[in-house]
Amino acid sequence: MSVSDELDRLGVAPAGRDAVLPYAVEPLDVRGRAVMMGPVLDTILKRHAYPAPVSRLLAEAATLVSLLGTSLKFEGRFTLQTTSDGPVSMLVVDFATPDGLRACAQFDEDAVRQAEAEGKADSASLLGKGHLAMTVDQGAAMNRYQGIVALDGASLEEVAHRYFAQSEQIPTVVRLAVGEVLDRREGSAPSHAWIAGGVLAQFLPEAPERMRQPDLAPGDAPEGAEVARHDEDDAWTEARALVETLRDDELTDPAITAEQVLYRLFNERGVRIFEPQPLADRCRCSDERIRAMLKGFTDEERADMTVDGRIEVTCRFCNTRYDYSADEV
């Protein structure tokens, strides 16, 4: 049975671009999400006009946040933020339920240009050393949850694996890829668009003891000390190995859908897909929020912001400019 036939049988519309597709592979006790990102991602990146290596890195982070943020079962926010000493000193990607995605980066343009010239524009080199924080905000009445992992020359994929091993303790595998589509049509200027794809799989068996993973390195344990070792569950070994076979070109081919990717991976085991969760380019800034923020500053601080009797604020996520007379605030 083809993918389209299976979708028709289930009564599920294809996810298309910019929609996260939840799925389950029940024989392997695996659940996860897949996404193919297109116009939403392209709009966010083109708005900022960052250098290509920065856009590529931010696209990876946005794809990861899309996979993780859409798992929230309550009204809230999921935020990924890096702070590091690399050419890209900060990334911020923010997902607000049910579908709002926004992102921005802070970087040293000269350092990025040099890294690109030296062939060191991969995500690990651009980030350098520091830390990555993932924060779940459940609203004012609930506590925030934050997990922090070190950045020490690892890619975003590797850092995501560490986050789940240390903070969530759920066996997880993530694949991310970013690509560019160039359209050269006769009689018109070449067009360029950013696309990305990602797959996340998690091992969630009913018996918790099956989730045991190989232990982390014992660190400063005395020489000769006995260290417990746990073998990976066979079902998870199979699922992880299948996801790791995904090539970048499979995740960034405009002709391949999320459904097709999942079918290629798990058709022999049987994969169930669920209702897609759309993504939108949506910033939370507003005139009301900006005014409230400005009123929180002291008179002296507002005076320092004032130029020719006016205060101008530009949202670093969506580049919307807010302009007020000093008397207004």
Side-chain angles (χ1 to χ4, degrees):
M1 182 180 291
S2 69
V3 175
S4 58
D5 289 340
E6 180 67 5
L7 292 175
D8 290 340
R9 185 183 70 82
L10 297 172
V12 176
R17 293 276 154 180
D18 299 319
V20 176
L21 186 64
Y23 70 90
V25 186
E26 287 158 354
L28 297 177
D29 292 313
V30 163
R31 299 183 72 88
R33 289 172 293 283
V35 66
M36 296 294 189
M37 302 194 69
V40 167
L41 177 69
D42 188 56
T43 299
I44 291 172
L45 297 180
K46 284 183 176 176
R47 176 185 296 126
H48 294 296
Y50 294 145
V54 179
S55 291
R56 184 175 294 275
L57 179 59
L58 190 59
E60 277 190 53
T63 304
L64 177 60
V65 168
S66 299
L67 292 169
L68 300 178
T70 49
S71 68
L72 297 181
K73 304 302 182 186
F74 48 81
E75 184 175 342
R77 292 166 47 198
F78 182 92
T79 304
L80 177 153
Q81 179 168 340
T82 67
T83 304
S84 60
D85 62 2
V88 180
S89 57
M90 185 178 70
L91 296 174
V92 182
V93 184
D94 186 85
F95 177 87
T97 56
D99 59 6
L101 187 68
R102 61 181 189 168
C104 66
Q106 183 174 299
F107 61 96
D108 183 320
E109 191 165 353
D110 291 335
V112 169
R113 191 180 300 115
Q114 182 178 347
E116 193 172 13
E118 295 175 355
K120 298 179 180 179
D122 58 284
S123 61
S125 300
L126 290 176
L127 289 171
K129 295 185 177 181
H131 67 266
L132 177 147
M134 295 191 191
T135 306
V136 177
D137 189 341
Q138 304 178 65
M142 302 288 287
N143 292 330
R144 296 169 68 203
Y145 169 79
Q146 186 174 74
I148 298 177
V149 289
L151 293 172
D152 55 4
S155 68
L156 277 179
E157 276 186 11
E158 294 171 317
V159 173
H161 294 154
R162 291 181 191 174
Y163 167 79
F164 280 101
Q166 297 174 15
S167 300
E168 302 288 338
Q169 297 182 345
I170 298 173
T172 303
V173 61
V174 178
R175 277 291 287 116
L176 306 170
V178 178
E180 301 172 73
V181 176
L182 297 176
D183 188 2
R184 300 178 181 273
R185 297 186 181 181
E186 189 174 349
S188 60
S191 63
H192 168 279
W194 289 100
I195 58 175
V199 172
L200 176 144
Q202 295 185 306
F203 185 49
L204 297 166
E206 290 185 9
E209 63 270 15
R210 291 181 60 205
M211 294 175 62
R212 294 183 305 183
Q213 301 180 78
D215 287 348
L216 300 174
D220 297 329
E223 185 177 351
E226 185 175 346
V227 179
R229 299 291 181 187
H230 299 296
D231 293 329
E232 233 175 25
D233 188 277
D234 289 344
W236 174 238
T237 299
E238 179 182 342
R240 179 175 52 78
L242 287 171
V243 174
E244 289 174 347
T245 65
L246 274 172
R247 303 188 310 272
D248 285 3
D249 61 337
E250 290 180 279
L251 290 171
T252 57
D253 187 335
I256 297 178
T257 66
E259 291 87 356
Q260 288 171 324
V261 167
L262 295 175
Y263 181 79
R264 290 180 182 185
L265 289 177
F266 301 117
N267 70 88
E268 292 186 1
R269 287 294 192 170
V271 56
R272 281 208 305 153
I273 59 176
F274 303 96
E275 196 69 29
Q277 298 172 252
L279 298 169
D281 167 29
R282 198 185 311 283
C283 191
R284 295 198 311 278
C285 72
S286 66
D287 177 72
E288 182 181 5
R289 286 173 181 260
I290 299 299
R291 287 177 181 272
M293 177 193 72
L294 292 175
K295 289 177 180 178
F297 290 109
T298 66
D299 290 341
E300 184 178 12
E301 289 170 330
R302 283 195 295 270
D304 290 339
M305 302 176 194
T306 303
V307 177
D308 296 331
R310 305 199 67 82
I311 296 176
E312 183 179 294
V313 178
T314 300
C315 175
R316 64 179 179 177
F317 286 102
C318 67
N319 289 343
T320 299
R321 188 176 68 179
Y322 297 87
D323 190 288
Y324 307 98
S325 70
D327 294 338
E328 286 183 80
V329 293

